[in-house]
Amino acid sequence: MSQVPVARLQDVTKRIGSRTIIDRVSLEIYPGEVFGFLGPNGSGKTTTIRMMVGLMAMTSGDISIGGHSVRTHYPQAAAQVGAIVENPEMYKYLTGYQNLLHYARMNASITRERIDEVVKLVGLSGRIHDKVKKYSLGMRQRLGVAQAVMHRPKLLILDEPTNGLDPAGIRELRDYLRQLAQEEGTAVFVSSHLLSEMELMCDRVAILQKGQIIDIRSIRGQAASAQQQAEEALFDVDRPEAALGVLQGQGGGRIVDGLLELTADRNEIAEVNRRLVEAGIRVYGIRTKTKSLEDQFLEVTGSETIG
Ligand SMILES: Nc1ncnc2c1ncn2[C@@H]1O[C@H](COP(=O)(O)OP(=O)(O)OP(=O)(O)O)[C@@H](O)[C@H]1O
Ligand SMILES: [Mg+2]
């Protein structure tokens, strides 16, 4: 990704009293990507989002959106953002369309054509002239997204948008977020505590645990990148020292707890295995140390629920 990020969080920290709720969170969100912010309950997703949209001050660090610091140039930064944090404010006795018109009046750049366009995008055309009080949860949420993107923000932020949606609703949400990302180049930032939903919706995911980011990784094309990415491989062999000797001069390796450990991609692992076997070393097992996103997330969520 050679593009300039839409949003950049740099060492964002939030302390309340003596507690550090958000601890040096750094990440970048690029145009046209759907970025997931995954963490168990209480890990700090909403707090981070509140700081991104200026609802809460940071203790230290900075957030810039479209190149403008939320700290020093808040109005310019906020102008680039569309967000739904907690429940979107809607007038229940007005229709969905009247609600959108109401918000459009606050921004001269929003035309009727644009309203129709976003209504279509979120799939609400058939019900837009119904009163909001008759909407289901999923329909209200669509209206919230329509309202949040009317002014063509560079960054759309949604806190737990899949809460309360059924699987079909989640799929539709994913489809229109993706359309928004692709067709309008919007950077979409969504939080969730459910890995399965993030895997369906996102290009990249950051895992948050107790206010710290423990991993950021790509989801899409993961199978392809796993082929090329070098990882720590552990070889269980009968003679580790001799095995190390066989590999000298070829990236080397080290012995850890009686296992031969080295950094290699998939092809290299196969090649190392062949060379060891050819040298008369018995290979009992090979495994890689990299944990899957699911392993990692289960560790996090597991410890939260048990601990
Ligand atoms: N205003 C506040 N004062 C004190 N502590 C707070 C405040 N807001 C949040 N916290 C604490 O900060 C931590 C992170 O809360 P936050 O709401 O950001 O988590 P979350 O990841 O959004 O969780 P959930 O999945 O339940 O929405 C929690 O321990 C919470 O109790
Ligand atoms: Mg939250």
Side-chain angles (χ1 to χ4, degrees), residues 15 49 59 98 110 124 147 158 196 214 273 281:
R15 275 191 285 276
I49 288 175
T59 305
Q98 287 166 334
I110 303 170
L124 211 50
Q147 186 215 314
L158 304 174
S196 53
I214 58 167
N273 183 48
I281 309 270

Side-chain angles (χ1 to χ4, degrees), residues 153-197:
K154 287 195 177 133
L155 176 67
L156 173 65
I157 302 175
L158 304 174
D159 191 14
E160 307 254 7
T162 55
N163 266 359
L165 295 188
D166 62 17
I170 293 171
R171 172 184 281 265
E172 282 161 16
L173 174 72
R174 173 194 63 188
D175 289 346
Y176 67 73
L177 290 183
R178 189 145 294 289
Q179 202 182 332
L180 201 61
Q182 271 163 12
E183 290 177 12
E184 305 199 359
T186 314
V188 183
F189 187 75
V190 284
S191 74
S192 172
H193 58 277
L194 294 173
L195 172 65
S196 53
E197 293 177 355

Side-chain angles (χ1 to χ4, degrees), residues 16 19 21 40-47 56 160:
I16 298 183
R19 273 192 68 201
I21 291 171
N41 294 140
S43 54
K45 303 180 296 294
T46 301
T47 305
M56 191 187 253
E160 307 254 7

Side-chain angles (χ1 to χ4, degrees), residues 89-148:
E89 284 289 309
M90 293 293 170
Y91 296 98
K92 287 189 178 162
Y93 292 94
L94 298 181
T95 66
Y97 196 76
Q98 287 166 334
N99 268 279
L100 294 181
L101 274 182
H102 171 76
Y103 287 105
R105 277 191 213 108
M106 300 176 199
N107 187 326
S109 72
I110 303 170
T111 59
R112 291 229 174 202
E113 289 73 33
R114 177 62 179 165
I115 298 180
D116 293 340
E117 196 173 63
V118 295
V119 167
K120 205 166 151 219
L121 176 82
V122 300
L124 211 50
S125 301
R127 303 290 301 271
I128 198 65
H129 295 294
D130 286 6
K131 288 201 167 127
V132 169
K133 66 173 180 179
K134 292 189 189 164
Y135 280 8
S136 70
L137 182 71
M139 290 159 68
R140 276 176 211 195
Q141 197 238 25
R142 286 167 198 242
L143 187 62
V145 173
Q147 186 215 314

